[in-house]
Amino acid sequence: MSPYVLIILSLSLLMGTCLTLFSNHWFTAWMGLEINTLAIIPLMTFPNNPRTMEAATKYFLTQATASMVMMFAIVYNAWMTNQWTLFQLSDQWASTSMTLALAMKLGLAPFHFWVPEVTQGISLLSGMILLTWQKIAPTAIIYQIAPCLDMNILITFALLSTILGGWGGLNQTHMRKILAYSSIAHMGWMVVIVHINPTMTILNLTIYIIATLTTFLTLNITNTTKVKSLGSLWNKSTPTTIIIMLTLLSLGGLPPLTGFMPKWLILQELIYNGNIATATIMALSALLNLFFYMRIIYASSLTMFPSTNNSKMQWFHHSMKPTTIIPTAAIISSLLLPLTPMFIMLT
């Protein structure tokens, strides 16, 4: 891809997200989401082959449907209330339609089917943008209008997402699909707490983005897309294997890593507010995620797949790709648990 085209698309992604974040008018918020969608599609189709084109088409159709439902909710709400302000969403039909549209945008269950298929069909870097940056704008809208949304539907979607996100990733052998199901489960954790403590949603989103960013960048350096390929990674690049292991355990929420912090705080908030059944289901569903993360770690560091190579040791992997951000992101995604009291004060 031409550097000039890449710069234009990157600036469009940045502008679309910022437009949604800083808007208090429904039309400008919707416009920012559309700019985001249209800017990422050329990135998804690089390199150009039938697989990436199919993934981009699925993503476009899903996002176009969600945008249509969202615009219906916006226009209906404006017709009923004579208001285009972002916080004025008082009609029940508009609230339900907006909840469904944002669930489609985020890939919450039962609208999650496009996430694994699209992520599997595109490159690692495009999948990284899809599962990290593209979640910011819809989450920001949910954060702002949480009191106006239909929370019964949203909590149901959140519980389904955590269960199906863990269940769907159990038998996967492709890293991109595993991270896609992980994204579905993490979106459920973010949405379930947004009505009680929206700041906790932002904390969870930040930690999830950093951990997922680290995982994708590490996989991109080693050109690893399957669990089987991780079996020989220990002999090629030991630090890379350790980073992948720590980051996946953090995504699974295993103490004493950073990923345990948002899950711990969210369960604590749910219990304090009397949602004991919801907290129990969320905690049990986290075990499903932790299981398939542990399966990846077992394949990458505790076993070695049969090889036709006569040599037991292989040449260490020296990648020419930039690795500047990976050490910092790996430290943040695994060693922030001692700072939990500070984050409690902020929330």
Side-chain angles (χ1 to χ4, degrees):
M1 182 177 289
S2 170
Y4 302 107
V5 176
L6 184 61
I7 290 173
I8 292 173
L9 294 176
S10 302
L11 290 176
S12 298
L13 277 173
L14 179 64
M15 184 182 70
T17 303
C18 291
L19 187 62
T20 302
L21 289 176
F22 300 135
S23 62
N24 60 356
H25 193 281
W26 272 117
F27 185 71
T28 53
W30 176 84
M31 190 187 303
L33 292 173
E34 291 305 294
I35 293 173
N36 251 5
T37 301
L38 295 177
I40 197 176
I41 288 176
L43 295 175
M44 295 170 67
T45 57
F46 181 80
N48 192 1
N49 55 58
R51 206 168 162 198
T52 57
M53 292 298 295
E54 179 187 356
T57 304
K58 289 177 181 178
Y59 179 74
F60 174 75
L61 292 175
T62 307
Q63 296 298 309
T65 305
S67 297
M68 178 187 67
V69 176
M70 185 176 182
M71 181 52 74
F72 167 77
I74 293 170
V75 173
Y76 182 79
N77 180 71
W79 180 39
M80 296 299 294
T81 62
N82 293 321
Q83 291 286 336
W84 287 85
T85 309
L86 198 64
F87 306 105
Q88 295 293 331
L89 195 67
S90 54
D91 189 81
Q92 181 62 34
W93 281 101
S95 175
T96 304
S97 301
M98 185 62 66
T99 305
L100 296 176
L102 292 173
M104 273 193 233
K105 288 279 184 184
L106 286 173
L108 292 173
F111 307 110
H112 68 288
F113 297 105
W114 63 271
V115 182
E117 299 300 323
V118 172
T119 310
Q120 176 62 23
I122 58 181
S123 64
L124 283 168
L125 291 180
S126 299
M128 178 185 70
I129 297 172
L130 178 67
L131 297 182
T132 55
W133 185 263
Q134 292 296 97
K135 306 294 184 182
I136 296 176
T139 307
I141 294 179
I142 289 182
Y143 175 84
Q144 294 180 72
I145 65 169
C148 305
L149 295 176
D150 192 328
M151 289 312 299
N152 292 325
I153 296 178
L154 212 55
I155 290 174
T156 304
F157 287 172
L159 292 174
L160 282 175
S161 297
T162 53
I163 295 170
L164 295 177
W167 196 269
L170 289 179
N171 293 325
Q172 300 299 328
T173 58
H174 292 266
M175 290 301 298
R176 283 171 292 186
K177 273 197 173 182
I178 289 173
L179 290 171
Y181 281 109
S182 170
S183 173
I184 295 168
H186 277 86
M187 288 300 115
W189 280 91
M190 295 174 207
V191 166
V192 77
I193 199 65
V194 70
H195 189 66
I196 299 172
N197 192 344
T199 312
M200 205 73 71
T201 300
I202 303 301
L203 174 64
N204 197 352
L205 178 65
T206 305
I207 293 174
Y208 162 75
I209 286 178
I210 294 172
T212 306
L213 192 72
T214 308
T215 307
F216 267 105
L217 289 176
T218 311
L219 294 175
N220 183 56
I221 287 173
T222 57
N223 294 319
T224 303
T225 57
K226 295 183 179 180
V227 176
K228 186 178 180 180
S229 303
L230 293 172
S232 59
L233 188 59
W234 185 269
N235 290 332
K236 291 181 180 178
S237 179
T238 306
T240 303
T241 310
I242 294 173
I243 289 174
I244 290 177
M245 182 174 65
L246 289 176
T247 311
L248 289 177
L249 287 176
S250 181
L251 278 172
L254 190 72
L257 302 174
T258 307
F260 175 67
M261 179 188 7
K263 289 183 171 57
W264 171 27
L265 296 178
I266 288 172
L267 291 176
Q268 180 177 276
E269 288 287 334
L270 289 173
I271 292 172
Y272 283 168
N273 286 272
N275 299 314
I276 298 176
T278 304
T280 304
I281 295 172
M282 301 288 287
L284 292 176
S285 65
L287 297 176
L288 296 172
N289 290 83
L290 191 59
F291 175 79
F292 63 73
Y293 290 136
M294 290 298 297
R295 185 168 61 87
I296 298 171
I297 294 165
Y298 177 77
S300 63
S301 57
L302 299 178
T303 62
M304 290 192 66
F305 285 93
S307 175
T308 57
N309 192 354
N310 293 327
S311 174
K312 292 183 179 179
M313 299 299 294
Q314 301 183 31
W315 290 101
F316 278 90
H317 181 79
H318 296 285
S319 177
M320 301 301 292
K321 299 175 182 177
T323 60
T324 310
I325 193 175
I326 292 180
T328 305
I331 291 171
I332 294 173
S333 59
S334 58
L335 298 178
L336 286 190
L337 189 63
L339 299 180
T340 303
M342 183 185 73
F343 289 110
I344 292 177
M345 294 297 295
L346 292 175
T347 57

